Amino acid sequence: MIAIGAATRPRLALPTARLARLHAAGRGIPRGLAMLVLCAVGLRIVLAWATPGSDGARPLPLLFEALAASVVGIVFRSPFGEVERVTGRWLPVLRFAAVPALTAAAFGALAAGSAGARLDLGYAGLARDLIGLVGLSLATATVIGALLCWLGPVAFWLVSLYAIGSHWTTPWVWTAHLPSDTGAWLCAVAVLVVGTILVATFGARDGLHE
């Protein structure tokens, strides 16, 4: 009887690797990675003629960084809704682990797309701008929905265009500063940390109806 009870006892947890694979598949992360590749291709195309010093040297690459950050936010949308939030006790851990992995994937894709070309601020500027934009994307996904998370990075991109042209000095518009600016780095990292905590704790909203 004890053996039967042990055999029929439900398993409380899945193996870590399998659980991570199921989470990735449920979030559509493979499709998200494909979208990051498209962002890298787009970046490569614009870098072919947006040379450093030209009018498009900063705005156009920065736009594709904002789009890549938006992809990171979108894949945090849950197709299962409230049921998963109530029953998925490992969700905060999986979300927390997914943020650096997806951010690294986005950086890798964009860095590969810009290989052989010259980014206006180099790879250091790419990394700083991207992590801040990812943080904005995650925060927006948490507040108004994953499908609308692009609003945060794109709105910040528009602010950045004005800030770059007007030579703003506030470090909170980190995209307007050189990669050597410590304050700009701290602000970008702070936004990523806040966005990560929000999405890991609460998850992305499925839409405005929630």
Side-chain angles (χ1 to χ4, degrees):
M1 183 178 296
I2 295 176
I4 294 175
T8 58
R9 185 180 303 157
R11 299 177 67 183
L12 297 179
L14 292 170
T16 302
R18 184 184 176 195
L19 184 60
R21 288 197 301 269
L22 290 173
H23 181 75
R27 292 303 183 278
I29 288 180
R31 291 192 298 272
L33 295 177
M35 294 172 67
L36 290 177
V37 172
L38 292 178
C39 291
V41 172
L43 177 62
R44 180 65 183 180
I45 292 172
V46 300
L47 285 177
W49 57 273
T51 56
S54 65
D55 292 338
R58 283 291 289 139
L60 292 177
L62 188 58
L63 174 60
F64 282 93
E65 293 169 27
L67 294 177
S70 301
V71 171
V72 174
I74 288 172
V75 299
F76 279 88
R77 180 177 183 270
S78 170
F80 308 109
E82 190 65 26
V83 174
E84 183 187 55
R85 296 180 187 179
V86 173
T87 60
R89 63 192 181 99
W90 288 106
L91 277 177
V93 176
L94 291 169
R95 294 172 185 146
F96 186 86
V99 172
L102 290 169
T103 303
F107 174 79
L110 294 177
S114 61
R118 276 193 65 190
L119 287 169
D120 198 46
L121 297 183
Y123 291 129
L126 170 64
R128 182 203 60 192
D129 295 347
L130 180 64
I131 62 175
L133 290 167
V134 167
L136 283 174
S137 179
L138 297 176
T140 308
T142 305
V143 175
I144 65 175
L147 294 180
L148 297 176
C149 69
W150 56 271
L151 290 173
V154 172
F156 191 81
W157 173 70
L158 293 173
V159 172
S160 298
L161 298 187
Y162 183 81
I164 293 170
S166 301
H167 305 289
W168 284 11
T169 58
T170 173
W172 286 106
V173 186
W174 55 86
T175 48
H177 296 269
L178 294 174
S180 58
D181 191 303
T182 303
W185 268 100
L186 291 175
C187 290
V189 171
V191 172
L192 178 64
V193 169
V194 171
T196 301
I197 292 173
L198 286 174
V199 82
T201 304
F202 302 105
R205 293 171 65 93
D206 290 336
L208 291 171
H209 61 280
E210 289 192 1

